[in-house]
């Protein structure tokens, strides 16, 4: 099993991880007068959010924008698409923005679902498919590899069926946090029948060890039948602002746009995304802080005598006695984590990196509750 033992450092490791964490400038959390944040005392380690964001540059941009938010935001949409395209090496016209990356993934499922079946790994984030599923989407889940990784061989065999129109997979995967080997995924993409579109959800890619080596964006740029989705919800800490995007061939981009909701983008989210996109200092700090919190979690997992899958994201998939009982016991202490993803994996619980103080509370409670 692809188990991370990087945290198996005992007390010395915990001290080292704390030192690394404290070497990073932690921006103090601002008081929340809106009541939108979790109640005081609640450690929200449940939804893979990033407490560092939005960056100050984005907060300023939203404040500046407030007075002109009576306009529809078409011009801002074009600006952001051009900025994203410039950095990622495609024309802005090949970038499709959405109300979070969820909207573009939902659009893809609606569009390609008309053509045939959508394949996805059995243990994978699937929320953007729930609406298409309610509309009658044909989909098939494909079993995982024994190490809980995505089984590309099984997906390739399933993709040979004549009804398959699209494969949706997350890399890194949620909830496992695991990454596919880039060369394996490229070979898989190239092996697919030309009529099968591969949608690679890279929501967490910017948090990975080497995003440049692992992303499938070069496949899109080379004209392959591949769509990559990304989001401002993770690295940029803007989950509540709902901006995400797809990068696709001109034909696939046109198809996605046809299936989007009408006028779904919001001006504050666009203003924040435009400001944050070139804020390299914030992005570096965000990666560093998430890495520090992840190391704290890995150390805590090892100290508690259990294991977690190797993660390149802002969450860990941790083995416990019973994930639902574990989540309930953590919740009693004001620490919110995921219970069992589905009944098929009752022993695995996902915890997000969150605020370092909240991670420390989780680390403290883990040894007692891991076998609860
Ligand atoms: N893709 C994956 C793998 C996710 O885990 C999430 C959210 O957690 C999303 C997409 C949705 O992100 P967004 O906020 O961009 O809709």
């Amino acid at each position: 099993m692809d188990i991370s033992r990087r945290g198996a450092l005992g007390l010395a490791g915990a001290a080292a991880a704390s030192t690394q964490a404290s070497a990073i400038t932690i921006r103090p959390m601002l008081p929340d007068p809106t009541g939108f944040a979790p109640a005081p005392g609640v450690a929200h380690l449940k939804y893979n959010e990033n407490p560092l964001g939005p960056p100050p540059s984005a907060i300023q941009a939203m404040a500046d924008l407030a007075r002109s938010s009576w306009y529809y935001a078409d011009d801002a949409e074009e600006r952001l698409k051009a900025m994203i395209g410039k950095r990622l090496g495609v024309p802005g016209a090949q970038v499709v923005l959405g109300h979070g990356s969820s909207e573009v993934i939902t659009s893809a499922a609606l569009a390609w679902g008309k053509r045939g079946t959508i394949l996805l790994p059995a243990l994978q984030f699937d929320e953007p498919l729930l609406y298409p599923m309610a509309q009658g989407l044909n989909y098939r889940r494909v079993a995982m590899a024994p190490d809980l990784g995505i089984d590309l061989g099984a997906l390739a065999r399933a993709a040979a069926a004549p009804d398959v129109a699209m494969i949706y997979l997350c890399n890194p995967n949620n909830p496992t946090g695991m990454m596919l080997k880039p060369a394996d995924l490229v070979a898989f993409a190239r092996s697919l029948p030309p009529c099968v579109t591969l949608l690679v959800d890279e929501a967490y890619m910017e948090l990975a060890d080497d995003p440049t080596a692992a992303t499938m964006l070069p496949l899109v740029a080379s004209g392959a039948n591949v769509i990559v989705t990304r989001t401002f919800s993770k690295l940029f800490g803007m989950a509540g602002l709902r901006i995400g995007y797809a990068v696709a061939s001109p034909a696939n981009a046109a198809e996605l746009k046809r299936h989007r909701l009408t006028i779904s983008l919001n001006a504050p989210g666009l203003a924040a995304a435009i400001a944050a996109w070139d804020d390299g200092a914030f992005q570096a700090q965000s990666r560093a802080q998430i890495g520090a919190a992840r190391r704290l979690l890995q150390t805590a997992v090892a100290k508690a005598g259990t294991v977690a899958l190797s993660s390149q994201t802002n969450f860990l998939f941790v083995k416990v006695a019973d994930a639902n009982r574990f989540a309930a016991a953590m919740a009693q202490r004001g620490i919110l984590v995921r219970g069992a993803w589905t009944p098929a994996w009752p022993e695995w619980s996902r915890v997000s990196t969150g605020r370092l103080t909240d991670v420390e509370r989780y680390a403290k409670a883990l040894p007692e509750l891991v076998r609860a």
Side-chain angles (χ1 to χ4, degrees):
M1 183 173 285
D2 186 11
I3 300 289
S4 167
R5 292 201 173 269
R6 277 198 293 165
L9 302 170
L11 279 173
S18 301
T19 312
Q20 276 163 314
S22 56
I24 291 161
T25 318
I26 309 291
R27 196 153 55 82
M29 301 302 294
L30 298 173
D32 170 46
T34 63
F36 280 30
V42 172
H44 206 258
L45 303 177
K46 207 173 174 182
Y47 292 159
N48 302 345
E49 295 145 333
N50 175 3
L52 191 65
S57 56
I59 293 172
Q60 184 60 52
M62 286 189 280
D64 293 345
L65 170 280
R67 276 181 184 280
S68 34
S69 51
W70 56 276
Y71 291 110
Y72 289 114
D74 305 21
D75 291 349
E77 185 172 344
E78 291 309 313
R79 255 168 69 198
L80 182 58
K81 279 164 49 177
M83 289 170 83
I84 293 172
K86 189 169 169 209
R87 167 105 53 82
L88 302 186
V90 293
Q94 286 182 237
V95 178
V96 181
L97 296 179
H99 187 76
S101 58
S102 295
E103 189 193 359
V104 272
I105 299 163
T106 300
S107 305
L110 290 170
W112 271 259
K114 287 183 192 161
R115 302 180 190 175
T117 296
I118 303 213
L119 301 179
L120 70 159
L123 179 58
Q124 183 184 279
F125 176 79
D126 63 2
E127 283 194 37
L129 268 47
L130 296 183
Y131 172 68
M133 285 171 181
Q135 302 302 311
L137 179 76
N138 287 317
Y139 64 96
R140 279 201 291 281
R141 296 187 198 270
V142 175
M144 307 303 289
D147 68 355
L148 298 189
I150 291 174
D151 189 338
L152 290 178
L155 277 167
R157 288 190 292 281
D163 63 320
V164 174
M166 172 171 267
I167 300 171
Y168 168 48
L169 54 85
C170 300
N171 192 46
N173 194 8
N174 177 12
T176 65
M178 290 164 71
M179 287 277 283
L180 289 160
K181 288 201 182 86
D184 292 351
L185 188 49
V186 169
F188 169 76
R190 294 202 190 286
S191 77
L192 292 174
C195 57
V196 175
T197 303
L198 175 62
L199 170 51
V200 186
D201 176 343
E202 295 191 352
Y204 301 96
M205 183 56 78
E206 291 133 314
L207 311 181
D209 298 344
D210 189 353
T212 311
T215 179
M216 292 300 119
L217 283 169
L219 277 184
V220 183
S222 76
N225 192 7
V226 173
I227 299 171
V228 168
T229 56
R230 295 245 178 128
T231 182
F232 282 83
S233 299
K234 308 300 175 184
L235 176 72
F236 294 91
M238 298 187 192
L241 288 168
R242 313 304 305 129
I243 302 288
Y245 58 94
V247 183
S249 68
N252 286 343
E255 192 66 351
L256 288 173
K257 277 184 209 149
R258 257 199 302 279
H259 291 82
R260 266 192 341 175
L261 286 175
T262 306
I263 322 179
S264 66
L265 294 167
N266 72 94
L270 286 166
I274 287 169
W277 183 249
D278 287 327
D279 190 339
F282 170 80
Q283 290 165 42
Q285 193 188 6
S286 180
R287 271 176 61 88
Q289 188 155 325
I290 287 166
R294 194 168 65 209
R295 284 189 294 278
L296 276 179
L297 282 174
Q298 285 165 330
T299 303
V301 164
K303 272 177 70 183
T306 187
V307 289
L309 299 182
S310 71
S311 167
Q312 296 196 27
T313 62
N314 61 346
F315 55 87
L316 281 193
F317 210 33
V318 181
K319 192 160 197 192
V320 298
D322 179 302
N324 287 333
R325 276 209 310 270
F326 176 78
M330 279 281 179
Q332 277 190 344
R333 296 174 187 216
I335 303 164
L336 305 185
V337 298
R338 281 290 302 248
W341 191 258
T342 76
W345 290 279
E347 297 179 326
W348 291 91
S349 165
R350 194 191 70 187
V351 58
S352 312
T353 51
R355 293 183 292 205
L356 286 174
T357 47
D358 293 339
V359 167
E360 278 158 6
R361 283 175 61 192
Y362 173 91
K364 211 166 155 204
L366 188 63
E368 186 189 330
L369 301 187
V370 70
R371 273 166 274 278

